[in-house]
Amino acid sequence: MSSVETDPRLKAESVTIRPLGAFRKTVQVLGSKSYSNRYLALAALSGEPTVIEGALVCDDTRYLADALTRFGHVEVEVDAAAERITVTPTGRAMRAPEEDVYVGAAGTPIRILIAMAGHAEGVTVLTGTPRMQERPMGSLLEALPGLGVTAEAVKGNGSPPVRVTGPSFRGGSTRISGAVSSQFTSSLLINATRAEQDTEVHVIDELVSKPYVEMTIAALAEMGVVVERDGYTRFAVAAGQKLRGGTVQVEPDASGMSYFLAAAAVLGGTVTIPGIGKGSHQGDVGLVAALTRMGCTADIADDSITLTGGELRGIDIDMETMPDVVPTLAVVAAFAEGTTHISNIASLRIKECDRIAAVATELRKMGITVEEHPDALTITGGTPRGAVIDTYDDHRIAMCFAIAGLRTPGVVIKDPGCVAKSFPTFWQKLDTLAGTTSSTL
């Protein structure tokens, strides 16, 4: 077993965060979850042996790897210690698994798999946790028939379980809403690589979280497929393009990086994250600019990002392009002078939990004044006090409030194991700042 699997905090009822002073550290963050999921899906569609180096091995990627294996056309070997995922074709055709495919709370994988099941012979049923069975898939289900795929919500509510009948993903032209999730568009583009016909995807309204589609297009290009486009309104994948196999490298996860940037911000420390820099397509890198506006200083090089904390002040910021780091910035705002208004974040209502409500509730427990709006948060900075933090089975709530505990005594994080969804070594990485947690079993 790896040290990750034996970390007792992943099975603990809670961890107590120990406050820390200013620090100067280099932290190696695990690979990008978004890129790992995309490369894994593309490798399974390529028909070529593929090695994904620097891959994030977490709950989400394990669920996706298991699902791909169950279609029978590939074998997937996951090596957590080496941060490597190997995908090898079996030579068999894709066939629907006999039993339901369970993906836990993995949002990107299930949306990729719904379209991918259209390539498999037979009927595939995809499902997940109770929260997953509340998450909206309707826009994707409405778009798939235009490409030949019959897909329906089993309960008729637009949410999982979803039943898909294949093989039927022929390509063609379809229309999709981009207002709920960019993952729907990414799913169609990824799976268009195996279509018999050219595929066109027309986005009929405003596309949210645009950087994630940019990441999809970058991953496709890295593996040899060109996407033609008209801004964010039309995307086209010509049939006959060949996904390459071989080796692909995953850059560090910008969302995971955010917690260590926040630690430097609230403690006045300095952190360097190697392996990611100014060329990254990850929207969450935008947190660096947000923190500099709040009073930090930063150096973004080609292959590293360094941030040093300063006197923090509130800002007004639209975070539509970087929703996953909203909770991180919100915690930093709790320590800033003045008011921070974070807007255009309605998509957080349908994540692993309602993150707007969760952040507001837990910051109020810490004595911070928060105004909650349908698509925004207004946070008045102050002196947070210790509290027992509920995490709502949401990895990002656990990790961002752990950072609050680095400055505020008495912060206890319940259900610390939920970080395994995206960052299973989070508590170990946090320890590298100076031994910062203890667990209660």
Side-chain angles (χ1 to χ4, degrees):
M1 296 180 70
S2 71
S3 60
V4 174
E5 294 167 324
T6 57
D7 184 348
R9 289 165 294 191
L10 295 179
K11 297 184 182 299
E13 292 182 3
S14 65
V15 295
T16 299
I17 311 300
R18 296 172 181 157
L20 177 67
F23 62 89
R24 179 177 294 272
K25 295 284 185 178
T26 296
V27 178
Q28 184 69 57
V29 176
L30 295 180
S32 162
K33 179 163 72 78
S34 295
Y35 273 125
S36 295
N37 280 323
R38 284 159 173 77
Y39 284 134
L40 183 49
L42 291 170
L45 293 168
S46 73
E48 300 288 337
T50 307
V51 179
I52 306 169
E53 298 282 4
L56 175 62
V57 177
C58 64
D59 286 355
D60 277 25
T61 52
R62 287 185 186 276
Y63 277 123
L64 180 55
D66 177 67
L68 295 173
T69 298
R70 292 179 60 193
F71 284 115
H73 68 302
V74 292
E75 293 180 351
V76 184
E77 179 185 352
V78 177
D79 187 336
E83 298 179 7
R84 178 185 302 121
I85 299 176
T86 303
V87 182
T88 307
T90 64
R92 298 191 294 270
M94 287 184 71
R95 294 186 181 276
E98 293 184 2
E99 297 182 353
D100 292 1
V101 177
Y102 180 82
V103 299
T108 300
I110 198 171
R111 285 161 173 156
I112 291 174
L113 289 165
I114 288 170
M116 189 178 291
H119 298 299
E121 182 178 345
V123 177
T124 302
V125 177
L126 298 130
T127 190
T129 62
R131 174 63 177 175
M132 176 59 74
Q133 295 182 41
E134 297 173 351
R135 297 184 71 177
M137 305 291 160
S139 297
L140 180 58
L141 301 181
E142 292 167 5
L144 282 169
L147 304 178
V149 180
T150 299
E152 58 184 353
V154 172
K155 298 177 182 177
N157 60 355
S159 297
V162 170
R163 182 189 298 116
V164 184
T165 303
S168 55
F169 197 122
R170 63 171 185 264
S173 179
T174 194
R175 292 157 54 85
I176 193 165
S177 171
V180 174
S181 174
S182 66
Q183 292 173 359
F184 302 148
T185 301
S186 288
S187 175
L188 298 180
L189 296 179
I190 288 168
N191 284 286
T193 59
R194 202 177 173 107
E196 297 176 359
Q197 305 173 17
D198 296 349
T199 300
E200 285 194 357
V201 178
H202 298 267
V203 181
I204 61 176
D205 46 20
E206 184 69 17
L207 179 65
V208 299
S209 304
K210 295 179 179 68
Y212 289 99
V213 173
E214 297 291 352
M215 292 171 67
T216 299
I217 293 171
L220 284 161
E222 173 67 17
M223 296 188 71
V225 171
V226 175
V227 177
E228 298 179 5
R229 63 190 294 184
D230 295 326
Y232 294 100
T233 62
R234 173 187 169 273
F235 301 92
V237 179
Q241 298 188 75
K242 179 65 176 173
L243 286 165
R244 73 167 180 88
T247 300
V248 291
Q249 182 70 40
V250 178
E251 72 180 21
D253 190 273
S255 307
M257 171 180 72
S258 76
Y259 309 108
F260 300 94
L261 300 179
V266 302
L267 294 173
T270 298
V271 68
T272 297
I273 311 295
I276 185 171
K278 60 180 64 175
S280 177
H281 290 282
Q282 295 184 66
D284 289 345
V285 172
L287 180 67
V288 178
L291 292 174
T292 57
R293 287 180 57 200
M294 295 183 79
C296 301
T297 56
D299 178 19
I300 305 179
D302 289 337
D303 61 353
S304 68
I305 294 174
T306 299
L307 185 128
T308 300
E311 294 294 325
L312 297 173
R313 57 183 176 273
I315 59 172
D316 192 329
I317 183 169
D318 181 326
M319 295 188 74
E320 186 271 329
T321 61
M322 45 178 161
D324 280 350
V325 295
V326 167
T328 312
L329 187 74
V331 166
V332 175
F335 294 95
E337 181 180 353
T339 297
T340 296
H341 183 69
I342 304 171
S343 61
N344 207 5
I345 56 172
S347 65
L348 294 188
R349 297 283 187 190
I350 56 169
K351 297 291 187 178
E352 284 82 341
C353 72
D354 180 340
R355 287 181 179 159
I356 294 176
V359 167
T361 298
E362 302 310 309
L363 284 179
R364 287 172 183 145
K365 282 184 185 177
M366 299 185 73
I368 297 301
T369 300
V370 182
E371 295 177 21
E372 179 184 341
H373 312 280
D375 65 346
L377 282 167
T378 304
I379 301 158
T380 301
T383 304
R385 59 173 181 258
V388 176
I389 302 299
D390 288 300
T391 53
Y392 308 88
D393 196 25
D394 190 324
H395 52 137
R396 303 218 181 277
I397 300 301
M399 291 186 282
C400 72
F401 279 93
I403 301 309
L406 297 180
R407 181 163 164 179
T408 298
V411 172
V412 177
I413 306 297
K414 295 173 67 175
D415 186 24
C418 67
V419 304
K421 184 178 191 300
S422 68
F423 202 157
T425 60
F426 175 75
W427 302 113
Q428 293 167 317
K429 293 292 184 182
L430 202 63
D431 284 346
T432 66
L433 300 184
T436 49
T437 71
S438 62
S439 60
T440 302
L441 297 174

